[in-house]
Amino acid sequence: MKPGMQTNLKVEMSLLLLRNFITSAQVAKYPNFFFEILRSRRHNPPPVVFLKTHKTGSSTVQNLLFRMGEKHGATFAFPSYSYQFSYPDKFEADFVDELPEGSSQFDILCSHMRLNMEELKKVMPPNTIYITILRDPVQTFESVFSYYTFSIPAFSLAKKAAETMENRSALSVFLGTPESFWDPKSPENGLGRNPMSFDFGLDLQHGNMAWSANLTALVETFHLIMIGEHFDESLVLLRALLKLELEELAYVHFNTRSAHSITSLDETTKARIRTWNDLEMELYDFSLKLFQKKVEEYGAERLNRDVDLLRASSSRIRQKCVAGKNVSPEELEESVRPWQPDSATILGYSVQGNLTKEEQGFCMRLVLPELQYHAHLYFKQYGRAMRPVPTE
Ligand SMILES: Nc1ncnc2c1ncn2[C@@H]1O[C@H](COP(=O)(O)OS(=O)(=O)O)[C@@H](OP(=O)(O)O)[C@H]1O
């Protein structure tokens, strides 16, 4: 689990904050050449909330928003403590750090939270654009299980049980009898079932008759729900919404796992994941239909053309910036090494060596993992390091 989610990670968190403070100084020494050019050409995008759902490709979108915000001198609504808004508690306006001196409003909020739309609206201006991303629930759940095996109690129990059995993965043991590992009252189990719906703040009680109505109303309050399986198409729609330049959509895939951390899924396992995450299927299917409607409105042919342009531009920028493919953490400097859970290996990127200092500023930000970039922007905005979650 990422730091900040659980109190027993607080010591680790303090060390990490210290390290990221150093990272921040490293990043700050590179001027942001491309950003300066673009800044002079462009008007500011509207305020944005990005509901950062877990294991959906959300860090890739967040990195893009971080770069966009930094370029435009946006004011970020950051959590008062750590990288997340008191997750897994439902979002409250009080979780947001103070408005920095000289700012009249918050422009971007994109740190992990459990959604509470009413409270969010207290923090953000009325013309805010609300976006999020969803991914196929089967792939999402497999990724959540792998990343959070040791921090979601229901998954850890299944892992322990699997150690006593031959040739059984923890995932298959869990899915065999999920209810036997599952305590619905434990908030730490929140992401262990219907994780995207949990992030949406939906009431996950089965038999809750208001589920569909709540879901429909909530989904329709978003200006765009991106779809992981149509990532580039989603970015084109995002570009139209936020009036972004093509170059601003360049990205690398964040938080990809090494091959040995991925469990391949047979049809029985996929069916079991769908059954366990049944509410999630409804959320995804409904959102996918809305997405397809937006594609039609945009024009399918026009979208395909723009996706081609985006891919060409993104690939050109990646070639310029990134040294080869994504690699395992031991090959990376600390400043660009992603957070590693105990249960999976998360890959990352190094920046090319033959760049000018200005280009390095741009390229470094393109590959900067969530925790490092979050700490850097926080430091830039407040002139102090991020605070760890207080101990009771
Ligand atoms: N552009 C793009 N398109 C499709 N998929 C992508 C993309 N970027 C990241 N990913 C995959 O998303 C998974 C990581 O999701 P998150 O960044 O949301 O994780 S986290 O909750 O912030 O830890 C992780 O999936 P898994 O490898 O299955 O775990 C990434 O590989």
Side-chain angles (χ1 to χ4, degrees):
M1 185 170 285
K2 276 186 203 153
M5 272 188 179
Q6 269 188 331
T7 44
N8 61 5
L9 284 168
K10 276 174 197 152
V11 175
E12 213 168 338
M13 175 73 196
S14 305
L15 289 172
L16 195 85
L17 286 176
L18 186 66
R19 277 195 263 128
N20 284 335
F21 179 71
I22 296 162
T23 303
S24 179
Q26 286 168 340
V27 176
K29 78 180 178 209
Y30 300 117
N32 219 337
F33 179 65
F34 289 83
F35 286 6
E36 292 308 322
I37 295 172
L38 289 167
R39 197 206 305 270
S40 59
R41 285 204 245 135
R42 298 245 5 266
H43 56 87
N44 283 341
V48 185
V49 164
F50 174 56
L51 171 61
K52 190 176 185 303
T53 47
H54 284 85
K55 308 321 292 178
T56 53
S58 67
S59 301
T60 304
V61 181
Q62 185 196 49
N63 174 275
L64 192 144
L65 294 174
F66 277 165
R67 283 182 279 134
M68 177 190 92
E70 192 177 14
K71 182 181 83 184
H72 293 283
T75 301
F76 287 88
F78 283 128
S80 303
Y81 304 103
S82 96
Y83 303 90
Q84 338 200 25
F85 292 105
S86 294
Y87 198 86
D89 294 346
K90 275 203 191 174
F91 181 84
E92 288 175 23
D94 284 355
F95 295 168
V96 179
D97 215 327
E98 66 201 351
L99 198 59
E101 225 172 285
S103 297
S104 55
Q105 63 172 43
F106 288 116
D107 303 308
I108 301 182
L109 186 153
C110 60
S111 310
H112 275 300
M113 68 171 141
R114 190 157 180 237
L115 183 64
N116 179 344
M117 207 44 120
E118 274 172 28
E119 287 290 306
L120 257 183
K121 287 188 171 161
K122 290 184 192 167
V123 176
M124 296 302 290
N127 61 331
T128 298
I129 301 282
Y130 288 84
I131 56 175
T132 188
I133 181 165
L134 297 177
R135 182 185 185 191
D136 180 336
V138 173
Q139 305 309 325
T140 305
F141 186 79
E142 189 277 320
S143 177
V144 167
F145 193 96
S146 156
Y147 199 84
Y148 296 117
T149 308
F150 293 116
S151 44
I152 293 180
F155 294 173
S156 314
L157 287 173
K159 171 88 180 151
K160 266 200 202 114
E163 279 157 14
T164 65
M165 302 173 199
E166 247 176 68
N167 294 327
R168 292 281 307 275
S169 71
L171 181 62
S172 88
V173 170
F174 177 77
L175 290 168
T177 53
E179 302 281 359
S180 70
F181 302 108
W182 180 254
D183 174 3
K185 288 190 219 79
S186 161
E188 275 77 39
N189 273 336
L191 278 178
R193 186 174 201 181
N194 301 303
M196 297 182 287
S197 313
F198 185 75
D199 284 339
F200 264 67
L202 285 161
D203 177 2
L204 301 174
Q205 291 307 311
H206 282 72
N208 169 14
M209 299 305 282
W211 163 262
S212 287
N214 290 346
L215 179 148
T216 310
L218 189 55
V219 162
E220 283 173 349
T221 59
F222 282 89
H223 294 80
L224 175 64
I225 298 188
M226 302 171 69
I227 300 288
E229 286 66 39
H230 304 289
F231 195 84
D232 291 343
E233 289 78 358
S234 299
L235 281 189
V236 170
L237 296 180
L238 183 69
R239 181 186 180 196
L241 204 55
L242 302 184
K243 316 256 181 310
L244 299 172
E245 302 280 340
L246 200 56
E247 295 80 12
E248 294 179 89
L249 301 179
Y251 69 88
V252 297
H253 287 69
F254 279 97
N255 283 340
T256 47
R257 285 171 295 156
S258 65
H260 77 260
S261 305
I262 299 172
T263 308
S264 65
L265 306 172
D266 57 26
E267 288 310 313
T268 311
T269 310
K270 285 184 190 170
R272 284 183 174 163
I273 293 178
R274 285 191 199 100
T275 307
W276 178 243
N277 297 281
D278 51 352
L279 301 179
E280 194 97 313
M281 296 305 300
E282 207 177 313
L283 173 66
Y284 182 77
D285 289 346
F286 184 69
S287 303
L288 185 59
K289 282 199 187 98
L290 285 185
F291 179 82
Q292 282 156 349
K293 221 163 117 199
K294 285 202 194 304
V295 169
E296 272 167 38
E297 282 161 15
Y298 190 89
E301 248 179 62
R302 181 178 159 221
L303 189 81
N304 287 339
R305 234 182 10 250
D306 290 349
V307 164
D308 287 345
L309 289 175
L310 158 73
R311 286 184 180 152
S313 147
S314 199
S315 141
R316 189 174 45 78
I317 292 173
R318 269 196 292 263
Q319 263 173 21
K320 172 92 190 159
C321 284
V322 183
K325 274 182 70 67
N326 50 4
V327 292
S328 51
E330 57 275 11
E331 293 179 57
L332 295 166
E333 281 184 24
E334 198 163 357
S335 55
V336 289
R337 191 181 306 139
W339 172 259
Q340 300 293 315
D342 291 337
S343 50
T345 303
I346 306 298
L347 308 177
Y349 303 84
S350 290
V351 167
Q352 288 276 25
N354 57 345
L355 299 171
T356 64
K357 205 169 178 188
E358 285 81 8
E359 289 167 340
Q360 252 183 320
F362 176 85
C363 296
M364 179 81 169
R365 285 162 175 86
L366 185 75
V367 304
L368 205 55
E370 172 184 0
L371 303 192
Q372 285 91 325
Y373 209 162
H374 204 294
H376 162 69
L377 290 173
Y378 186 94
F379 184 77
K380 199 169 171 184
Q381 180 163 305
Y382 290 110
R384 61 169 188 259
M386 287 166 56
R387 292 180 286 241
V389 180
T391 38
E392 280 80 35

